[in-house]
Amino acid sequence: EELGDVLFSVANVCRKAKLDPEMVMEAANRKFARRVQGMLETDTNTVPKDIEDWERRWEKVKANEL
């Protein structure tokens, strides 16, 4: 229930900023998917072996977006 309150609050912040919450979430999902794809394409298409490897790849992909 509390998490629902948080989501409702975030949607309300979007509305007050004159943003469509659904469009904002779709954009975030596209960015996330693009970054995961980038992670999987690094290091010869191997799946990350542990959380540190995931983090290293994530930061590398993020840095390349700038």
Side-chain angles (χ1 to χ4, degrees):
E1 187 176 308
E2 293 299 318
L3 187 54
D5 290 344
V6 170
L7 293 172
F8 182 78
S9 295
V10 170
N12 218 8
V13 169
C14 287
R15 183 184 60 80
K16 288 183 183 265
K18 304 207 183 313
L19 300 170
D20 181 335
E22 188 174 353
M23 289 177 63
V24 169
M25 191 67 212
E26 287 173 357
N29 285 337
R30 283 191 303 274
K31 179 172 67 174
F32 179 78
R34 184 179 64 246
R35 287 179 176 175
V36 169
Q37 185 62 41
M39 287 171 58
L40 295 175
E41 290 172 358
T42 61
D43 298 329
T44 65
N45 289 323
T46 59
V47 175
K49 60 185 178 299
D50 54 32
I51 193 69
E52 290 80 16
D53 194 21
W54 277 103
E55 182 69 21
R56 182 184 57 76
R57 291 185 193 198
W58 183 262
E59 292 302 323
K60 184 177 179 180
V61 169
K62 278 178 47 177
N64 287 335
E65 287 185 343
L66 301 177

